[in-house]
Amino acid sequence: MAITVLEALRIPQSWSNNAKQLSLNNVLAELVESPLELGDVTVENAFVSFFDALYSEGFRHRYSEVFGVLSNVGAPLSEATATASGYYLEDNCVIQMNLDALTPVVEARCTGEARRGFEKLRDHTFLEIGRLSYNARINDIQDKRFALTLEDINLAQERLDKSNKKLEAAEHRIESAQRENVTILGIFAAIVIAFTAGMGFTASVLQNIDAVSIYRLVFVIVLMGLMLFNLLYALFRFVHRVTKPEDDPGAILPARTYVGINIAGALMLLAVCVARHYGI
């Protein structure tokens, strides 16, 4: 560190104002890096000679250059206070400690012009450090607020998506209910018509009971019963399939019962035919 500082503190033979400002920028950049050890007389003498020569002949450092050095330096002002968004001004800020350590040396050994220039340099540096620190804190606050806002937006979007899904599901249920209602009404109308027609046909058969044989009468009645049973079963089964929940595997009538009734009806028809054939 001392060798780097000594190299930055070298005074050229011809020193223009621009060259002085460039040298000062290099010294400030070195003061940012690590703390000074001012117990070395060589280092103290180098600083005294540098500031005396720097502020001679009415030189005034440029305030904008101080900001440029502090904002573009490669390392944070302090590793303990470095953040992702900038620099914080803390008690252990490296350049602050270095300038505070140099203050008694400059005041005790430098010329009055150099002391006044160093005091302005120190004030300008601390002012820029404070400004960078303030901006960093503001940036951190804004980043946190932005993160919270983004989180709120994501939550709101999730709620909106869930609401849209519920709305779509409700619309689907309403459409399905409308279709089911129309279907059920149509089926019940068909059931009523079928039942009424069957009863009418049965009444007609019973009115002519004395005009036909007992075998023919029983055969027609059993056949009509089977036809009406199968028609009503088909209609009710369709209504059940339309209206039942998707997770309901049940049926309106067990398959064995349905088949058994049809077999029993067929056997009755066969028995009537056999009885008539043999005259039982």
Side-chain angles (χ1 to χ4, degrees):
M1 176 67 183
I3 297 176
T4 305
V5 170
L6 290 175
E7 291 177 353
L9 293 174
R10 287 179 181 175
I11 303 173
Q13 294 181 353
S14 61
W15 217 8
S16 64
N17 286 341
N18 290 334
K20 288 182 176 181
Q21 185 63 56
L22 180 60
S23 298
L24 178 60
N25 293 348
N26 293 334
V27 171
L28 290 176
E30 294 299 327
L31 292 178
V32 170
E33 297 295 332
S34 60
L36 290 174
E37 296 180 0
L38 294 179
D40 189 344
V41 178
T42 303
V43 176
E44 292 184 2
N45 292 337
F47 272 107
V48 171
S49 300
F50 176 81
F51 285 119
D52 283 340
L54 179 71
Y55 289 106
S56 63
E57 301 178 358
F59 170 75
R60 297 178 58 184
H61 62 264
R62 291 192 290 271
Y63 177 70
S64 58
E65 294 288 338
V66 175
F67 170 77
V69 172
L70 296 180
S71 59
N72 295 319
V73 70
L77 300 181
S78 170
E79 293 182 0
T81 58
T83 66
S85 56
Y87 306 119
Y88 281 176
L89 175 61
E90 301 291 348
D91 292 338
N92 60 346
C93 179
V94 175
I95 191 171
Q96 180 182 1
M97 292 189 296
N98 287 335
L99 292 178
D100 285 340
L102 284 172
T103 298
V105 176
V106 173
E107 290 181 350
R109 300 179 56 185
C110 288
T111 63
E113 191 174 13
R115 290 196 300 270
R116 289 189 294 271
F118 176 81
E119 184 64 25
K120 290 181 180 180
L121 175 64
R122 182 172 177 272
D123 290 342
H124 289 165
T125 303
F126 286 3
L127 179 62
E128 284 305 322
I129 294 174
R131 191 156 68 112
L132 290 171
S133 174
Y134 175 77
N135 290 337
R137 285 188 171 89
I138 293 298
N139 289 337
D140 286 343
I141 293 173
Q142 295 298 332
D143 290 342
K144 292 178 182 179
R145 289 178 178 176
F146 177 76
L148 293 175
T149 303
L150 185 60
E151 183 179 354
D152 292 340
I153 292 175
N154 292 333
L155 291 176
Q157 185 64 41
E158 291 178 1
R159 293 175 182 172
L160 180 61
D161 293 339
K162 291 180 181 179
S163 299
N164 289 334
K165 291 181 180 179
K166 291 181 180 179
L167 180 60
E168 292 176 357
E171 291 177 350
H172 178 70
R173 288 196 296 268
I174 292 173
E175 293 177 357
S176 300
Q178 291 176 347
R179 291 193 300 268
E180 292 173 0
N181 291 336
V182 173
T183 303
I184 293 171
L185 288 176
I187 293 173
F188 272 111
I191 292 173
V192 172
I193 293 173
F195 188 78
T196 303
M199 290 299 100
F201 183 80
T202 303
S204 176
V205 172
L206 293 176
Q207 286 178 358
N208 299 320
I209 189 172
D210 56 344
V212 296
S213 65
I214 187 63
Y215 302 106
R216 182 175 296 179
L217 180 62
V218 173
F219 185 86
V220 172
I221 291 175
V222 174
L223 181 61
M224 287 297 302
L226 281 176
M227 293 176 59
L228 186 60
F229 168 76
N230 283 280
L231 177 61
L232 293 175
Y233 176 81
L235 294 175
F236 278 115
R237 184 181 179 185
F238 186 74
V239 172
H240 178 72
R241 291 181 62 183
V242 171
T243 58
K244 74 172 183 177
E246 295 181 356
D247 56 349
D248 182 13
I252 61 173
L253 191 66
R256 291 184 178 181
T257 303
Y258 172 73
V259 174
I261 292 174
N262 279 277
I263 292 175
L267 292 176
M268 291 176 64
L269 292 175
L270 181 61
V272 172
C273 293
V274 172
R276 182 177 182 279
H277 180 73
Y278 291 101
I280 298 175

